Amino acid sequence: MAPRVGIVGIGHIKFGNLSEYDLVDIMAYTATDALRDAGILADRRMVDQLFVANMGGGVINHQTGIASALVSRLGLEPTPAELVENGPASGGSAIKLGYMAVASGMADVVMVVGGETMRKVTGWKATDFVATLGHPEAEYGMGLTLPAFGAMFARLYMERYGVTERDLALVAVKDHANAARNKYAHVQEPCTIEAIHESPDAHVVNNYVAEPLRLYSVCPVSDGAATVILVNMDSPKAAAFRHPPIRIAGLGSATDTHCVHNRKDPLHLDAVRLSAEKALAMAKLTPQDISFAELHDAFVVLELAIAEEVGFYPRGKAVEAVRRNENAIDGKLPLNTSGGLKAKGHPVGATGVSQVVELVRQLRGKAEPGRQVKNPRYGMAVNFGGFGNNVVAIICAKE
Amino acid sequence: MIDFSVYETKQLEIYAYRCPECRAEYYPAPMLCAKCHCRRDPSGIVHKDWDPFPLEGACTLLTWTRVWALPEGYDRPCEMFGIVEFPNGLRAAGRLEAASPVMGMALVARVEESTERPGPPAKVFVFSEA
Ligand SMILES: [Zn+2]
């Protein structure tokens, strides 16, 4: 039987504009925090495998071989290390490979570091860089970007399910309230429905980015890094760590068509549904067992659509929970307790790892006051790459 | 003497591909036919390449957006984009030119050359009102 895999160390830098810092330095900073959190800073050579999640090192930082550079920055030689690039789902994919390394018996202690510095370049260049994950001729070459895909999806979703701009603004208000209490969030400013939707100036504060999506419907461009340390819970080495492990109970991933236009129903996110189904089956859980979730809301409409694909709500019904405020910290099903990509920020390669750091903080009961979910048992993260092209779902459990 | 004027009048086209075995149509071209598993050979050396045919003409608007945060290369404040469906069932994404776009409206697809994005000029779809 494959060993149980748990998380025993976490590290996270405050997301934001870190453009004056070196990419490998900020990754190493969170790796150091995770090693200290795990209680193995001095014994860090216990780490017998490193996976690094990053999407834009070669393009934005003009740097390759980042995984081995990080090993050296940490004085961790001769630990083997590999880079994982899977678009904005790189972080989730790197954790999946970390899990596989432990489950296969090839490693007992694996460190997974995700990081990105997108603000080294202008917003136009950052948007262009992320757009390169589209089909080169049929999407990227046409001028399409991720905000364009998010907006075209939102227009269809809003039309089919009667979702309004006010509904999307309510999701943003909830996300910002959570991020305001999260010491790692990029945007720690709460916002009100009056300011971003109801006041006569709301359209100025909350202008269109890609219609029908407004500034408060899309994530900021962020820099950041996050780290988790995985351990074989059935190995004697597991006793060396300071914290009881948070177990990875389920993990699933899937791929959808490269071209968004080739999906039979453009509102069906098959890779989300399949990855969540796999993760739930592996954990022997149903969606109703999940206490809280981090869902990849690069565009707030995705919080609703992903919540439905995962099975938290029937199609088109997530908006009713939004209107009843059921996804707030003290609601029936808290979503994006960290502030989500919307307000915590979205340094693409770091995001999937950051989501799992939030699961661990909540499951340890160590989130900031006012942001701690009450007695959570199972947390789920959905990391969404491309426009749903590749997705990783991870379920963590408090033992 | 070579008549260079033909190069100027040559119409820009974007191609969809038809499987030579089962006639299934694709845009853009995959390497294998999803229906009969016939393979494509872009070099045309080992196997015959598939039959390209221009994707153009009448189509219907499925969804659209007006983007105000354009990527590197654009020198205007906003640009509209849409996804359309052609009568043969193929879909494509491209630029949209319509005074007041409505989902389901009839459009006509043509191809233009775009120099906005980094790299060599790209062929883009422009969907305009029928
Ligand atoms: Zn065929």
Side-chain angles (χ1 to χ4, degrees), chain A residues 35-169:
Chain A
L35 290 164
R36 192 186 292 130
D37 177 59
I40 59 160
L41 187 62
D43 300 318
R44 59 189 175 278
R45 284 201 172 81
M46 278 183 74
V47 173
D48 37 33
Q49 170 71 51
L50 177 70
F51 286 112
V52 176
N54 172 261
M55 181 177 168
V59 181
I60 289 179
N61 307 83
H62 200 62
Q63 181 171 1
T64 55
I66 286 168
S68 43
L70 179 58
V71 167
S72 204
R73 195 72 50 95
L74 291 166
L76 208 55
E77 301 98 335
T79 302
E82 275 87 25
L83 179 72
V84 181
E85 194 276 291
N86 204 13
S90 299
S93 285
I95 293 176
K96 173 186 159 185
L97 294 185
Y99 183 97
M100 290 165 72
V102 175
S104 71
M106 287 187 75
D108 282 326
V109 183
V110 176
M111 185 152 72
V112 182
V113 185
E116 206 77 61
T117 49
M118 305 172 72
R119 298 186 71 123
K120 295 258 182 206
V121 294
T122 62
W124 296 281
K125 271 199 198 298
T127 303
D128 176 75
F129 144 67
V130 181
T132 59
L133 58 77
H135 188 284
E137 286 96 34
E139 295 182 333
Y140 175 83
M142 295 286 168
L144 288 156
T145 55
L146 272 292
F149 283 119
M152 291 194 289
F153 180 93
R155 189 179 296 283
L156 276 174
Y157 186 91
M158 291 164 80
E159 164 99 359
R160 190 181 295 178
Y161 299 124
V163 172
T164 64
E165 286 196 16
R166 185 175 195 278
D167 296 324
L168 298 186

Side-chain angles (χ1 to χ4, degrees), chain B residues 79-103:
Chain B
E79 179 81 60
M80 290 199 290
F81 298 93
I83 295 178
V84 301
E85 185 167 294
F86 291 91
N88 58 8
L90 292 181
R91 293 178 187 168
R95 269 187 208 169
L96 175 65
E97 290 176 355
S100 18
V102 181
M103 286 190 277

Side-chain angles (χ1 to χ4, degrees), chain A residues 20 23 43-44 52 79 110 121 123 150 165 167 182 187 196 219-220 246 270 275 288 290 306 350 369 385 390 392:
Chain A
E20 62 185 296
L23 171 64
D43 300 318
R44 59 189 175 278
V52 176
T79 302
V110 176
V121 294
E165 286 196 16
D167 296 324
N182 181 353
V187 186
I196 68 168
C219 64
I246 296 295
D270 286 348
S275 55
Q288 286 65 44
I290 302 296
I306 294 172
N390 49 303
V392 184

